[in-house]
Amino acid sequence: MSSTLKNRRKRNIRRIVIFAFIFLALGGWLLYSYLNKDDRITIRTVQLERGDIFSYFYTTAEIKPGSITEHNTTVSQKVLAVRVSPHQQVKAGDILAVLDQQELADQYVSAQEARQRIEASLAEADAEEKARLNAAEQDRKDLERNISTLFSSLSTSISQLTRLATLAPASVEIAPDLEEKMVNIITASNPETLDQDIEQLLATLRQSAELVENPEYAAGLSQLEHELKKASDAADHVLSGLASGSLAGSITLPDSITGQIGSLSGLNAYVQDPLAQAIAQEDAARNQYEKSQPYIYAKTDGLVAQINISPGDYTGGSATSQETGLEALLGNASLNTFVPQTVSAITIYDNTRPQAVFYAGRFDAGRIKTGMPVQFDYEGQLFSGDVINKGRIAASQSAGQLEALDIIGDMGSSFSSEPQLEIRMSIKGTGLTELITGFWIDAEIEIDHAEDVVLLPAEAMRRELDTYFIFVIGENNLAAKRTITPGIQSDRYIEVKEGLNEGDRIIINPPSSLQDGMPVKEASDG
């Protein structure tokens, strides 16, 4: 046991000696390092040169078509065939769809025939009404003539009766020698022959006196009889006309026919309304036929984005039919009346002149101007372009606000509640149709550039409040602080407008502890 203890003691002593040696060596090294310490700050420097500088704004934009062209027809037409398919590349002038013009031509012919039937019906009705009015006019004239004859005959008859009242129907003519003969008979008379004498006197009187008819009275009586006959005939005609009822409204006023003609005008106005409708229908049908077209042609090069029609459909919306008052009057089949809608039959996106769109906040939008050149990178394919439009209305990224302002497009690669302004850029180069509308494309906008200026590495500049400064190596390898005026800034360099010159040696990535006048040493000095 004693031997074991001795061995342990020896091992412990060796360990103590080793640890003491290490401690003394470390202490000696620290003492040496402290006595030979270099307080200078190690820095890296670079010599300023002149060159060109470019400032870029990097963003991701959405690929948009150069234009969106909706194809439709002026009037609604039936689609016979669709010649394109979705996402097909087409050229301006290509036939997109075949349309039916015959249906509109048939409707035009039907409208013409309807108008002609109405005109024929009106002409027939007008002729019948005129014939009726002419007959009524003739009856009225006959009635007036008969009434005039009746009144004239009655007046003449009354005059004749008055005249006849003053005339004697007949007169007695006595022979001139009657007195002499009467005296002779009386003279020769005696009592014995008295009876005979009286008889002779009477006989002589009868022979000498004669009743003679008054010729003027007879003529007046004959004329009275004639006038009464005329009055009777005229009265019969008047009573016959009144009994028939056709002249019930014709004897009140001499110009009553004017009122009847006025009623005819009212009838014409009533019947003319269907004619006006028929003419309007014909004009509309002719207008539709003249504006119809056999085909829908592509207005621009591009990609077929939407097809909203199929064979049998109608362009501009579905067709509706209505039966007009004229058609109901004639009992005709109704004509189709098409009501065009705003739905596009075929929509083409112009992908031969694509654009890139993104939305920028107030600060970024203020740096971007129309006409600035742009470089694009789309999956390794490079394109060029320009800023072609900078919006004038900013909107928040709320979809409702964008819709209210009629702004189309996504808000870009970042979301912010800050109002955004639309920036639109052209894309130029080869293979433009290979760009997928709606996908993203990387854009590099050249904000500014300058040629042959003093270039300062970006990592050398520091900022303190509104002051920009750098450090250079001055005399005796002491750091010297200089205030500068920066200009254009790129990812790597900054344009120095004032404060530095070409050839100056400046400190890059100066540590935060570096102060003006501190000793420094370059890393290359070892």
Side-chain angles (χ1 to χ4, degrees):
M1 294 296 296
S2 60
S3 174
T4 302
L5 292 173
K6 289 180 180 180
N7 290 334
R8 286 182 179 177
R9 190 178 295 118
K10 289 180 181 180
R11 285 197 298 270
N12 290 334
I13 292 172
R14 284 196 297 269
R15 289 173 181 167
I16 292 172
V17 172
I18 292 171
F19 283 128
F21 177 77
I22 292 173
F23 177 77
L24 291 174
L26 181 61
W29 180 81
L30 291 175
L31 179 61
Y32 176 81
S33 298
Y34 177 76
L35 295 175
N36 295 279
K37 179 181 178 182
D38 188 356
D39 293 333
R40 295 180 300 170
I41 297 176
T42 302
I43 48 88
R44 291 187 303 114
T45 63
V46 67
Q47 187 174 353
L48 296 184
E49 298 178 350
R50 301 184 72 88
D52 300 337
I53 186 170
F54 296 85
S55 177
Y56 296 100
F57 175 82
Y58 299 94
T59 187
T60 301
E62 183 182 359
I63 300 173
K64 296 281 189 178
S67 64
I68 299 176
T69 306
E70 295 183 346
H71 294 72
N72 215 331
T73 54
T74 306
V75 296
S76 186
Q77 292 182 248
K78 187 176 182 180
V79 179
L80 298 179
V82 179
R83 294 284 183 85
V84 292
S85 56
H87 306 157
Q88 178 180 338
Q89 192 72 29
V90 296
K91 294 183 178 181
D94 287 352
I95 295 176
L96 305 179
V98 182
L99 306 174
D100 181 15
Q101 287 183 294
Q102 187 59 45
E103 186 174 32
L104 295 179
D106 294 341
Q107 291 178 2
Y108 179 34
V109 172
S110 298
Q112 284 181 314
E113 292 175 350
R115 186 259 305 162
Q116 292 169 355
R117 285 194 295 271
I118 284 291
E119 289 179 341
S121 298
L122 287 176
E124 182 179 354
D126 187 60
E128 291 177 355
E129 185 65 16
K130 285 182 178 179
R132 185 186 69 81
L133 289 177
N134 289 336
E137 175 67 7
Q138 186 61 44
D139 290 343
R140 185 190 67 81
K141 291 180 179 179
D142 291 344
L143 177 64
E144 291 178 349
R145 185 181 63 253
N146 289 327
I147 291 176
S148 177
T149 300
L150 174 62
F151 287 156
S152 175
S153 297
L154 290 176
S155 176
T156 303
S157 297
I158 293 173
S159 298
Q160 286 298 109
L161 286 173
T162 304
R163 182 168 172 272
L164 288 176
T166 62
L167 297 176
S171 60
V172 179
E173 291 185 358
I174 300 172
D177 57 349
L178 175 59
E179 183 179 359
E180 181 180 355
K181 288 180 177 181
M182 292 291 288
V183 171
N184 292 332
I185 292 172
I186 293 172
T187 304
S189 175
N190 55 61
E192 291 85 7
T193 60
L194 180 61
D195 294 333
Q196 295 179 352
D197 292 337
I198 293 172
E199 291 179 0
Q200 185 178 0
L201 285 172
L202 291 174
T204 301
L205 182 61
R206 285 195 296 269
Q207 292 175 357
S208 299
E210 181 181 6
L211 184 63
V212 179
E213 183 180 13
N214 188 348
E216 184 177 358
Y217 184 87
L221 188 62
S222 176
Q223 184 176 2
L224 176 62
E225 182 181 2
H226 175 72
E227 292 299 331
L228 290 175
K229 179 66 170 56
K230 285 174 61 178
S232 176
D233 291 343
D236 289 342
H237 284 96
V238 171
L239 293 176
S240 176
L242 293 176
S244 67
S246 61
L247 297 173
S250 302
I251 60 175
T252 55
L253 293 173
D255 58 346
S256 60
I257 191 65
T258 304
Q260 295 187 26
I261 294 176
S263 65
L264 175 61
S265 300
L267 176 62
N268 283 341
Y270 174 78
V271 181
Q272 287 291 334
D273 183 60
L275 177 60
Q277 293 182 19
I279 292 174
Q281 287 278 353
E282 181 183 1
D283 290 342
R286 181 180 65 253
N287 183 58
Q288 286 189 339
Y289 175 65
E290 291 175 349
K291 291 183 178 180
S292 66
Q293 56 194 58
Y295 306 103
I296 296 179
Y297 294 98
K299 300 176 183 178
T300 181
D301 296 349
L303 193 71
V304 177
Q306 291 182 343
I307 300 178
N308 297 320
I309 54 173
S310 300
D313 292 344
Y314 285 86
T315 61
S318 52
T320 58
S321 63
Q322 65 180 42
E323 190 168 293
T324 64
L326 171 61
E327 292 157 353
L329 179 64
L330 298 178
N332 295 334
S334 61
L335 301 176
N336 284 335
T337 302
F338 298 107
V339 182
Q341 306 295 325
T342 57
V343 178
S344 171
I346 297 176
T347 302
I348 293 180
Y349 286 0
D350 183 3
N351 61 348
T352 64
R353 298 179 296 112
Q355 298 177 0
V357 176
F358 73 98
Y359 290 84
R362 182 173 184 176
F363 174 75
D364 292 334
R367 301 167 58 197
I368 299 172
K369 295 180 176 57
T370 303
M372 288 182 172
V374 186
Q375 296 295 321
F376 297 98
D377 186 345
Y378 179 79
E379 298 181 355
Q381 292 179 276
L382 301 181
F383 302 91
S384 62
D386 303 285
V387 176
I388 59 176
N389 185 63
K390 180 179 177 180
R392 300 296 302 275
I393 300 176
S396 68
Q397 296 181 13
S398 152
Q401 287 176 307
L402 292 179
E403 290 174 358
L405 292 172
D406 197 22
I407 295 176
I408 302 174
D410 290 330
M411 297 307 299
S413 58
S414 63
F415 183 87
S416 171
S417 61
E418 177 188 7
Q420 305 284 307
L421 199 64
E422 183 189 76
I423 307 297
R424 191 172 289 266
M425 303 169 288
S426 63
I427 305 177
K428 303 174 184 177
T430 58
L432 294 176
T433 57
E434 297 178 8
L435 298 175
I436 304 300
T437 300
F439 275 10
W440 300 101
I441 188 170
D442 295 328
E444 181 183 87
I445 303 175
E446 182 182 312
I447 300 298
D448 204 351
H449 77 279
E451 298 177 354
D452 193 26
V453 296
V454 177
L455 299 180
L456 173 70
E459 61 267 30
M461 187 175 72
R462 292 293 181 264
R463 179 178 179 180
E464 190 175 76
L465 297 178
D466 292 332
T467 302
Y468 296 89
F469 64 91
I470 55 91
F471 288 98
V472 300
I473 298 180
E475 296 181 357
N476 300 322
N477 286 332
L478 297 178
K481 183 178 180 180
R482 288 190 184 177
T483 301
I484 65 171
T485 301
I488 298 173
Q489 300 184 27
S490 69
D491 293 341
R492 296 179 58 190
Y493 294 99
I494 299 171
E495 175 193 5
V496 179
K497 293 185 175 181
E498 293 181 0
L500 292 174
N501 297 308
E502 181 182 6
D504 288 346
R505 199 163 190 82
I506 56 98
I507 299 174
I508 59 175
N509 289 320
S512 59
S513 60
L514 183 62
Q515 299 293 326
D516 186 28
M518 282 185 174
V520 294
K521 68 175 181 178
E522 295 190 49
S524 59
D525 294 342

